[in-house]
Amino acid sequence: MAPTHTPDPQPPTPRPPADRPAVTLMKPGTAYANAWQRCRDAAPEAFRDDRVLNLWGAAWRPDGRSLPAATPVDGTPIAGSPRLDGTIAHQAVRAAFDQHRAWRHVPLPERRARIAATLDALCAHRDLLALLLVWEIGKPWRLALADVDRAIDGVRWYVDGIEPMLTDRAPLDGPVSNIASWNYPMSVLVHAVLVQALAGNAVIAKTPTDGGVACLTLAAALAAREGVPLTLVGGTGRELSQALVRAPEIGCVSFVGGRDTGAAVATAVADLGKRHILEQEGLNTWGIWDFSGWDRLGAVIPKLFDYGKQRCTAYPRFVVQRSLFDTFLAAYLPAIRAVRVGHPLAVAAPADPLPDLDFGPLIHAAKAKELTDQVAEAVDRGAVPLHRGRPDPARFLPGQDTTAYVHPMALLNPPPSSPLHHAEPFGPVDTIVLVDTEAELLAAMNASNGALVATLATDDRTVYDRLAPQIRAFKTGHGVPRSRGDRDELFGGFGASWRGSFVGGDLLVRAVTQGPAGEQPPGNFPEYQLMP
C-alpha cells in the first residue's frame, strides 16, 4: 500500500500583509506597446508596423506569414513569429552558405572586433531586451536581466580568450543551424550563435514558435549591423526541418528541446553524417539519503522554482529515503509555501520597483492546462497531493487574465501510468518518490534514461562517492544544485538527454570547428561516448 500523508490544509484566500499593499497598476513605461515602440526606434529595419521581419541574405525581408500570438503575462496580443515555407527557407540556407564561405576567411581580430561591438550594442539595449523577455515568455524581471547578462558576459569570456581555443582548428564547411527552445533566448541561443560566429562560421537561428521573437529580432539586428553573418528565420519544425537540418549546405545542427523532436533531428543528422549538438530533456532528480541538513535544503527549495521550473536544469523529482520523509516534509512544505508567483510588471505605486518573483506565468495557457490536467489525472490514479499553491491576489492586477499561471504543486508517488512519473513536467510541479534501499534510490534517480543534472544529498561523503558515479547525469552535485554553467564550465548529458558533442568552455568551440583528421570530439554518440 502506498504511504499516505495528510495534505496541506488549504488556507483561505490570502490577503496582502500590511507592509505589502495589493498591486493596482502596471509599472509605468513597461507596457508591451512601450516595448514595441522602443524596438521600432532601436531597429526600424527589423520591425514593421505590428510584425517582425526575417533576416536572410544580409537583408530584412517581409516574407512569411505572421500568425497571431499573445503574451502569457495577461493575454495581451503581441507579435508572432513570421513563418516561412520550405522553399524560402532553402533560399535562406543557400544565402547563409555564401556568407559562410566569405566569413570563414575573415581574420580573427576582425571577427573579435565585430562580436565585441555586438556585445556593446546588447549592453546598450539591456533593459529593453529584458522587458521583451518578460512580455514574450513571462520571465520575472530579475531572471530576464540575468538571461541577458549571462549571454553578454559569457560571449565576452570567449572574445577575451578565443585564440588558444582556435589553435590548429578551422571553421566548418558550412554554417551552423540553431534550433532552440523558447525559455532562454539570450543566454542559450544568442550566446551560442555569437560564439559560433566568433569561431568563423556563418550562423542560422530559428525563432522559437512559442515565444521570444521580438527579443531575438532585436539582438539579431544589433549583430547584423556589426557585420556578423547571421540568418534569423521563423517557422515550424515541420516546415523548416528539410532546410535547417537536412540541407547539404549545413555544417552543424545545434538543437535544444524535447526528446520527441530531438529524436527526429538525431535520426536525420545520423543518416547524413552531420556534426551535431542535441540537448534534450531529462528528469533531473534530487536524492536524499542519510541526510540531516534540513535548513540548507529549506533555503534552496524556493530557488529551485526559478522561472516555474521551465528550465532544462530544473529539479522536479525528489527521491527520499522513507525513514526521513517526515523531516523532509518539515523542511519542504514551509519552503514551497514561500515561493512567490505573480504578474511580473505589477506594482502598488508608480515609483515602486518591479516585484522580485520566483516565477510568473508558464509559456502559454495551453501548457498550464496540460500540466493541471496531468496533476488531476495523477491524483485520480493514486498520487497523494502534498501541496497545492493558491494565487495571492496582492501579486496580480485586478481582473487580469491569469489562465497561463500555475502555482506550485507537490505530489507523492505519481503512478507509473502518469507522465509525471517518468518525464520532465517543465512546470512548477514537484513529485516525490520514497525508497528504502540504495538500489531503489539509484533506480528512481535514473528513471528517465539519462539526465543533464542531478544532486545527491547525504551527510556521508563516502556514500556520495560510491553512488554518484552510478547516477546517469552529466553533472551531479553533493547536496547542491547543478546548472548549465557559464564560461569554462562544460555541459552535456547521458542516455537520451543528449546526442552529439558536449559543449561549454573550449568544447563549444571544438564542436563547431574542424580539428586534426580523425578527431573524436567528446560527446554522447551512437558509436561511442567520450568524456572530456
Side-chain angles (χ1 to χ4, degrees):
M1 178 180 295
T4 60
H5 172 75
T6 302
D8 271 356
Q10 295 304 321
T13 300
R15 295 183 178 181
D19 60 348
R20 184 169 62 81
V23 301
T24 58
L25 74 159
M26 191 183 303
K27 178 76 172 178
T30 65
Y32 178 73
N34 300 129
W36 183 257
Q37 185 58 52
R38 290 169 64 187
C39 286
R40 296 190 64 183
D41 294 341
E45 69 272 27
F47 296 83
R48 178 175 299 177
D49 299 327
D50 60 349
R51 63 171 295 175
V52 302
L53 306 183
N54 287 294
L55 171 62
W56 62 273
W60 290 96
R61 305 172 187 266
D63 42 22
R65 65 191 192 282
S66 185
L67 299 184
T71 172
V73 172
D74 61 7
T76 298
I78 62 174
S81 176
R83 301 186 180 186
L84 298 181
D85 60 29
T87 300
I88 298 179
H90 276 287
Q91 295 176 20
V93 169
R94 286 192 289 270
F97 181 66
D98 291 339
Q99 288 180 304
H100 179 83
R101 289 189 296 181
W103 179 256
R104 70 195 310 271
H105 297 296
V106 172
L108 178 58
E110 183 176 343
R111 300 201 305 264
R112 287 184 60 187
R114 294 190 187 186
I115 299 299
T118 300
L119 297 179
D120 291 342
L122 293 175
C123 283
H125 293 85
R126 171 182 181 253
D127 285 1
L128 175 54
L129 291 163
L131 183 58
L132 292 170
L133 293 180
V134 174
W135 279 112
E136 295 191 295
I137 62 174
K139 282 202 169 181
W141 181 245
R142 169 177 57 87
L143 300 180
L145 286 174
D147 192 5
V148 177
D149 290 344
R150 285 182 62 187
I152 295 170
D153 296 343
V155 177
R156 205 177 296 280
W157 181 86
Y158 284 94
V159 169
D160 293 341
I162 189 63
E163 287 93 343
M165 301 183 199
L166 289 176
T167 301
D168 298 325
R169 306 196 69 80
L172 300 176
D173 292 331
V176 182
S177 177
N178 294 267
I179 304 169
S181 57
W182 43 265
N183 53 341
Y184 283 88
M186 292 295 297
S187 63
V188 173
L189 184 52
V190 170
H191 176 280
V193 161
L194 294 181
V195 175
Q196 293 160 7
L198 179 64
N201 304 288
V203 289
I204 305 168
K206 186 181 90 66
T207 54
T209 305
D210 286 332
V213 59
C215 178
L216 287 170
T217 300
L218 177 58
L222 300 175
R225 286 179 181 177
E226 303 301 334
V228 177
L230 171 60
T231 295
L232 183 68
V233 293
T236 65
R238 182 180 63 257
E239 293 169 319
L240 303 188
S241 63
Q242 287 293 325
L244 301 189
V245 176
R246 293 182 172 274
E249 294 90 348
I250 298 296
C252 176
V253 176
S254 177
F255 170 86
V256 180
R259 289 192 178 186
D260 291 344
T261 304
V265 174
T267 300
V269 295
D271 291 345
L272 299 169
K274 285 187 183 294
R275 185 78 63 95
H276 57 282
I277 307 161
L278 310 182
E279 177 188 330
Q280 300 170 127
E281 63 186 327
L283 184 60
N284 305 318
T285 58
W286 190 295
I288 296 177
W289 190 264
D290 290 342
F291 177 71
S292 62
W294 303 112
D295 289 344
R296 297 194 307 274
L297 178 66
V300 80
I301 292 296
K303 299 176 183 178
L304 299 182
F305 277 91
D306 272 359
Y307 195 35
K309 304 208 173 191
Q310 297 177 108
R311 300 179 290 119
C312 65
T313 54
Y315 285 85
R317 168 66 51 82
F318 289 87
V319 181
V320 181
Q321 187 176 7
R322 189 183 306 272
S323 60
L324 299 178
F325 184 47
D326 56 340
T327 44
F328 168 80
L329 283 181
Y332 176 85
L333 290 176
I336 194 174
R337 295 185 193 116
V339 173
R340 300 155 301 181
V341 184
H343 188 303
L345 302 171
V347 293
D352 287 352
L354 290 170
D356 186 11
L357 304 173
D358 296 298
F359 65 95
L362 300 193
I363 185 58
H364 46 62
K367 175 61 182 179
K369 183 179 186 304
E370 173 192 289
L371 198 56
T372 53
D373 286 349
Q374 287 180 353
V375 169
E377 183 180 45
V379 171
D380 286 344
R381 296 180 180 180
V384 179
L386 299 177
H387 175 79
R388 286 193 179 105
R390 293 290 186 267
D392 179 350
R395 298 191 185 277
F396 294 90
L397 292 174
Q400 77 162 87
D401 184 331
T402 60
T403 53
Y405 291 79
V406 173
H407 298 269
M409 290 183 277
L411 300 179
L412 176 66
N413 286 345
S417 59
S418 168
L420 298 174
H421 177 80
H422 55 78
E424 181 182 14
F426 227 62
V429 177
D430 279 346
T431 56
I432 300 160
V433 173
L434 304 184
V435 295
D436 295 298
T437 67
E438 291 182 357
E440 288 180 298
L441 174 80
L442 291 170
M445 293 189 71
N446 292 327
S448 67
N449 183 27
L452 303 175
V453 296
T455 292
L456 178 58
T458 178
D459 296 343
D460 192 333
R461 179 73 200 197
T462 62
V463 171
Y464 176 83
D465 291 341
R466 176 164 46 82
L467 297 182
Q470 301 177 67
I471 299 171
R472 288 177 58 76
F474 187 79
K475 296 180 181 181
T476 301
H478 185 190
V480 295
R482 299 303 306 271
S483 69
R484 202 176 197 277
D486 293 297
R487 302 177 178 88
D488 59 349
E489 188 171 356
L490 307 182
F491 192 57
F494 291 148
S497 68
W498 195 278
R499 295 284 187 268
S501 299
F502 295 147
V503 295
D506 67 326
L507 290 190
L508 175 53
V509 175
R510 290 177 63 183
V512 296
T513 54
Q514 301 182 81
E519 177 184 65
Q520 284 190 316
N524 186 25
F525 297 90
E527 61 273 17
Y528 73 90
Q529 183 183 90
L530 179 63
M531 290 298 294

